[in-house]
Amino acid sequence: MSHVEPAVLPVARTGSHHRICPLCEATCGLLVEFDGRVARSVRPNPDDVFSRGHACAKGLGLARVDGDPDRLTVPLVRRDGRLEEASWDEAFAEIGRRLPPLVAADPQSVAVYTGNPAAHHLDHTLYLPALLGAIGSRNLFSPASMDTWPKNLVTVLLYGTGLGMSLPDIDRTDHLLLLGSNPVVSNGSTVCAPGFARRLDDLRARGGTLTVVDPARTRTAEIADRHLAIRPGTDAHLLMALLSVIDAEGLVDPGPAGPLVDGLDEVLALARPFTPERVAPVCGVGAAAIRDLASTFAAARAAVAHSRIGTCTQEYGSLANWLVEVLNIATGRLDVPGGAMFATPPAGGPTTWPGGPARPQFDRWRSRVRGIPETLGELSVACLAEEILTPGPGQVRALITIAGNPARSVPGSASVERALREVGFLLCLDGYLNETTRHADVVLPAPGMFAHGHMDLTLNHFQLRNVARYSPPVLTPAPGELPEWHQVLRIAAIVRGVPELPVAAMDDEVADQAARRAARLCGLGQDEVLAAVSPRRGPERLVDLRVRSGPFGDRFGAEPGGLTLATLEAAPDGVDLGPLEPRLPDVLRTPDRRIDVAPGLLTGDVPRLWASTRAAPDTGLRLINRRQHRGMNSWLHNALPYRDDGAGGLMMHPDDADRLGLVPGELVRVEAGPGEVVVELRVSSDIRPGVVSLPHGWGHTGDGLRMSRATAAPGANVNLLVDDRSLEPLTGTPVFNGVPVTVRPAGTTVAEEARR
Ligand SMILES: Nc1nc2c(c(=O)[nH]1)N[C@H]1C(S)=C(S)[C@@H](COP(=O)(O)OP(=O)(O)OC[C@H]3O[C@@H](n4cnc5c(=O)[nH]c(N)nc54)[C@H](O)[C@@H]3O)O[C@H]1N2
Ligand SMILES: Nc1nc2c(c(=O)[nH]1)N[C@H]1C(S)=C(S)[C@@H](COP(=O)(O)OP(=O)(O)OC[C@H]3O[C@@H](n4cnc5c(=O)[nH]c(N)nc54)[C@H](O)[C@@H]3O)O[C@H]1N2
Ligand code: SF4
Ligand SMILES: [Mo]
């Protein structure tokens, strides 16, 4: 029996098609021009109800990403040590030979790593649970543990779910305090706000204030009214000081959320000793500037603080992200327009479904080797390599990567690469033969990006305005392409020992589960809701179930005029559901439906923070990371190459360069505990003295890569420098920011290095 089902027909779709960009959290609406099956050009959709004509160079390059000649189109299977092209049947047969015995012997011996693009992809969001359920392993990994975990943890503790984050209502605020984020480049994160830069301009044009806290004068800091060039890893100290000033000056007023809040006095008491004078030398920010920020923020009619990855992947990540919430709450910003608000996800989610987590979603189990606590059902990526490389019961012997590149994105790259090489069986679902997939035993190619539907079920929790948008597939899969949800279900069937089970039957199982929830939400029978979404199948059926049982849904007919997938298909520019509305207390999923701002897990970490204020001042260089306009983590450098070596080099302040006798443009050797890299030196006063910065996602080197343009300008892999043992203690999030490094001349020239 062929595994390629159903029959695939090439469909020519000449003309313009609506498409939500899958690359970043801005989720811009695009118009893609097709010539037959080939995407020719992309432009912003001026009528998109959410992005209103915004798009960036990456989204406008989607046709080139889809058309990249290096993109994989055929499965690969390792035979006699070499990856060779194979049929789908051969690839699944190889998976069937290697994977089930491992699962049968010990489900924990199979690890799964799902990468960043999976969070944007319907097939993965909807069907991966079926695969993970079939495997039954606790060795689950994703970039969340090197990205949002501190924020997820705080959100669970304060509001009850990991996704129900408070969002900065930047369009209605008068003072935006941004910590550890550079949205002019990144387009923002854990907040979907297409055209972030324009929104910041609007804020300033209406007389508002932008304060940026960042060790570097980023493009966002450049347009700010106030830039505090903080020492890496000291945001929690600064935030404590802001709270201490606000308390001392009698500016505490929790506003409408107040009656729901417990523990504020306890946190304020903890903050009291962290006076501006006390933290100023720690943060490298003047006490007067801290006092001024505290009173300006508290006095603003509407104000909100928002923290992102610079505050997460650091030594005090959970404390920093906690204190941002506390600052918003203490100054009455929670759940008010212009403050920190909650979205209402149109396809529903943990903040709209009844009930809440029965148990806390962290530390239910620990990693085998190092005993690191689980967070939200996953383990820290910092454990991935050691779980593979350390023998003993429960050792990981197979790894499945899905839309991820751990060889470049995970800290401690040297051990990660060794683990990828040595793991018994490596199965990768990806579009490229890259630094990770080159080690695979089987690679399953992702179809082109226009052959599946798109709706941001996860990111909808972070939308700055309530909108509902869906992009239907533009193309049917090309001959030889297999939709990813088919791939995932096929692997699940193989793992369950029923490899011949048709995908359609597996899909019915997934739909039954989804229908049970939808029926419960609407007080209907499971058969009724399934009949209502018939004859849809696959992701579309699941999306229809979610949308119709969602907060704006038609409840399968009970609410005429409510949303259905058909409504969204008929409104390609999206359906505008209005600005964010107050959602307290309904949004809460804490056990008592209240907000405890002083959970013991977080208050218990304050003594560590206090102790650090007594430590001797740090005189060494500290490395931080940055994002670049045209890249997307590690994976767009081939399709959208920089004209020069876009890696951009090591950014260093002129005072440090002078002190170390380093010359701009020369090659320098950056050394840290785990390893070293050689990069070009870029001297700039845009970074504070004592701090250097490198972008991540580079280092396109190694045998067996098929990325002709990326390998021509490979850049250096910053994760060779990041120690997988240096973790934020509450979550196990790696410390990317504040890595101690030394820098010296490399003793080699750019030309010599290129020949190596
Ligand atoms: N163009 C582009 N856009 C992207 C991505 C990309 O690779 N390229 N990646 C996407 C992804 S996966 C994510 S998660 C988001 C992230 O989006 P952002 O959170 O906006 O990420 P960055 O642009 O890296 O900004 C982080 C900032 O934190 C600063 N920083 C470093 N250490 C500290 C510190 O200790 N304290 C403070 N206050 N600041 C610090 C850095 O200097 C940097 O400017 O971006 C997304 N968007
Ligand atoms: N030092 C340092 N390291 C970092 C960070 C940092 O700031 N500093 N940031 C971290 C963050 S925030 C993140 S999110 C991670 C990202 O970590 P990863 O997700 O591991 O890395 P990406 O580079 O996003 O890799 C995405 C992979 O998905 C593939 N892909 C793209 N689209 C599809 C698709 O539709 N289907 C399939 N099957 N595959 C697809 C690409 O080819 C690529 O191999 O990196 C983290 N690593
Ligand atoms: S900002 Fe993000 S979503 Fe918008 S076009 Fe660029 S990459 Fe795509
Ligand atoms: Mo990320």
Side-chain angles (χ1 to χ4, degrees):
M1 187 186 99
S2 167
H3 289 300
V4 184
E5 49 177 314
V8 288
L9 299 170
V11 171
R13 296 299 299 271
T14 297
S16 185
H17 293 270
H18 289 72
R19 198 72 194 166
I20 301 165
C21 179
L23 294 178
C24 90
E25 296 176 47
T27 67
C28 298
L30 304 173
L31 293 168
V32 186
E33 209 67 42
F34 281 81
D35 186 355
R37 292 192 60 91
V38 180
R40 288 287 179 214
S41 63
V42 182
R43 64 202 149 91
N45 177 6
D47 301 318
D48 184 281
V49 295
F50 192 49
S51 61
R52 302 201 174 279
H54 178 75
C56 80
K58 299 183 296 299
L60 299 178
L62 277 193
R64 281 191 285 150
V65 178
D66 191 57
D68 187 345
D70 281 334
R71 195 158 62 73
L72 296 176
T73 53
V74 178
L76 305 173
V77 174
R78 190 170 297 279
R79 296 189 184 106
D80 301 324
R82 289 169 48 89
L83 273 177
E84 291 175 1
E85 296 198 346
S87 70
W88 284 99
D89 282 345
E90 288 167 333
F92 286 123
E94 181 68 3
I95 296 168
R97 203 172 64 77
R98 309 276 300 270
L99 200 53
L102 290 169
V103 180
D106 178 6
Q108 306 310 324
S109 71
V110 180
V112 181
Y113 175 98
T114 21
N116 175 268
H120 302 247
H121 200 305
L122 269 183
D123 289 19
H124 302 128
T125 315
L126 294 169
Y127 289 94
L128 278 178
L131 175 59
L132 302 182
I135 297 173
S137 173
R138 289 174 165 179
N139 282 311
L140 306 179
F141 302 88
S142 85
S145 60
M146 44 182 171
D147 186 345
T148 51
W149 265 10
K151 225 175 158 73
N152 295 125
L153 174 76
V154 167
T155 305
V156 169
L157 290 172
L158 266 61
Y159 310 128
T161 74
L163 279 183
M165 294 182 189
S166 74
L167 313 174
D169 187 9
I170 55 180
D171 295 341
R172 291 184 287 185
T173 201
D174 293 339
H175 190 158
L176 174 62
L177 167 58
L178 267 181
L179 303 101
S181 181
N182 181 16
V184 171
V185 169
S186 70
N187 285 293
S189 182
T190 63
V191 53
C192 299
F196 210 118
R198 195 207 63 223
R199 291 167 197 259
L200 295 181
D201 288 342
D202 291 349
L203 162 70
R204 304 203 50 226
R206 61 177 186 266
T209 305
L210 172 64
T211 300
V212 171
V213 178
D214 196 307
R217 187 163 65 221
T218 59
R219 284 175 57 192
T220 309
E222 247 165 47
I223 60 169
D225 301 274
R226 195 191 272 106
H227 171 212
L228 303 187
I230 195 172
R231 277 224 180 88
T234 64
D235 297 84
H237 304 81
L238 172 74
L239 287 154
M240 278 292 200
L242 293 177
L243 283 172
S244 81
V245 174
I246 285 166
D247 181 32
E249 294 186 0
L251 299 171
V252 172
D253 172 11
L260 291 167
V261 173
D262 299 314
L264 191 53
D265 288 341
E266 190 185 332
V267 187
L268 294 172
L270 287 171
R272 229 155 269 152
F274 290 85
T275 57
E277 290 68 25
R278 177 93 206 188
V279 305
V282 181
C283 301
V285 172
I290 299 175
R291 288 187 182 281
D292 179 56
L293 172 58
S295 37
T296 326
F297 185 87
R301 186 195 56 93
V304 64
H306 174 66
S307 53
R308 236 356 315 272
I309 197 163
T311 67
C312 286
T313 47
Q314 55 143 289
E315 209 176 335
Y316 300 99
S318 295
L319 289 186
N321 281 278
W322 167 49
L323 294 169
V324 164
E325 299 300 327
V326 177
L327 177 65
N328 284 334
I329 289 170
T331 52
R333 313 307 187 179
L334 189 64
D335 205 37
V336 298
M341 301 196 76
F342 299 94
T344 306
T351 69
T352 68
W353 296 331
R359 299 172 289 174
Q361 296 159 306
F362 49 89
D363 205 8
R364 288 166 295 183
W365 58 85
R366 295 195 166 199
S367 73
R368 176 183 66 107
V369 177
R370 225 187 306 177
I372 292 181
E374 156 266 356
T375 298
L376 294 164
E378 292 180 13
L379 292 173
S380 169
V381 288
C383 308
L384 177 62
E386 70 193 17
E387 291 297 328
I388 294 172
L389 295 170
T390 313
Q395 182 182 6
V396 169
R397 294 171 192 285
L399 173 66
I400 306 177
T401 72
I402 299 157
N405 188 9
R408 290 299 169 270
S409 45
V410 171
S413 293
S415 3
V416 174
E417 287 248 12
R418 187 155 78 82
L420 293 171
R421 220 166 30 239
E422 293 183 12
V423 69
F425 180 62
L426 177 60
L427 164 61
C428 299
L429 278 64
D430 208 286
Y432 283 101
L433 203 46
N434 63 16
E435 300 83 359
T436 296
T437 61
R438 73 197 175 103
H439 298 293
D441 296 288
V442 177
V443 186
L444 303 183
M449 56 171 51
F450 302 110
H452 57 82
H454 184 98
M455 185 170 185
D456 288 295
L457 298 182
T458 308
L459 300 179
N460 278 182
H461 291 82
F462 310 142
Q463 292 185 144
L464 256 200
R465 188 174 175 89
N466 292 318
V467 299
R469 295 174 302 154
Y470 172 72
S471 306
V474 181
L475 306 168
T476 55
E481 282 186 345
L482 196 58
E484 293 208 65
W485 64 277
H486 282 232
Q487 300 182 23
V488 167
L489 291 181
R490 280 253 68 89
I491 303 166
I494 291 169
V495 168
R496 282 168 48 182
V498 284
E500 296 300 312
L501 194 63
V503 160
M506 303 274 297
D507 182 34
D508 285 343
E509 285 180 21
V510 177
D512 279 346
Q513 276 206 10
R516 249 196 305 282
R517 175 191 281 138
R520 224 179 18 246
L521 286 169
C522 300
L524 296 167
Q526 191 177 327
D527 293 343
E528 281 174 277
V529 305
L530 277 174
V533 296
S534 180
R536 292 186 191 274
R537 290 292 182 272
E540 278 75 26
R541 173 166 54 174
L542 302 181
V543 171
D544 204 13
L545 285 168
R546 290 268 305 249
V547 169
R548 297 178 74 172
S549 63
F552 307 97
D554 82 332
R555 304 180 80 78
F556 305 96
E559 296 275 352
L563 289 185
T564 68
L565 183 54
T567 335
L568 300 184
E569 285 166 331
D573 297 321
V575 175
D576 186 10
L577 301 160
L580 301 186
E581 299 277 359
R583 285 198 65 198
L584 283 178
D586 292 349
V587 75
L588 299 178
R589 292 294 179 275
T590 46
D592 57 0
R593 295 293 196 269
R594 298 182 56 77
I595 303 168
D596 175 11
V597 293
L601 191 69
L602 296 168
T603 56
D605 201 25
V606 174
R608 185 173 67 99
L609 188 73
W610 179 249
S612 70
T613 64
R614 296 155 182 263
D618 180 16
T619 51
L621 283 178
R622 295 279 174 157
L623 173 74
I624 61 170
N625 295 207
R626 64 176 189 266
R627 277 175 168 69
Q628 295 165 294
H629 189 55
R630 296 247 308 284
M632 181 47 65
N633 301 319
S634 75
W635 77 278
L636 287 186
H637 299 147
N638 199 62
L640 305 177
Y642 285 77
R643 234 170 263 118
D644 51 3
D645 185 353
L650 182 81
M651 218 165 126
M652 179 185 272
H653 191 273
D655 293 354
D656 289 319
D658 285 348
R659 186 169 53 84
L660 298 167
L662 301 172
V663 184
E666 80 172 332
L667 287 179
V668 292
R669 194 174 301 277
V670 188
E671 290 166 312
E676 58 171 54
V677 298
V678 171
V679 291
E680 200 170 317
L681 181 69
R682 198 174 119 205
V683 174
S684 161
S685 52
D686 283 348
I687 189 139
R688 68 167 283 141
V691 180
V692 290
S693 132
L694 277 174
H696 77 286
W698 292 90
H700 305 301
T701 53
D703 294 336
L705 300 173
R706 189 190 299 170
M707 299 191 299
S708 45
R709 284 168 301 272
T711 49
N717 173 13
V718 68
N719 279 322
L720 287 167
L721 303 173
V722 184
D723 193 340
D724 63 7
R725 309 198 72 81
S726 168
L727 307 180
E728 193 267 345
L730 301 190
T731 56
T733 305
V735 177
F736 289 136
N737 295 306
V739 176
V741 292
T742 56
V743 181
R744 59 191 171 90
T748 155
T749 65
V750 177
E752 275 167 13
E753 196 58 23
R755 278 196 301 274
R756 266 160 46 121

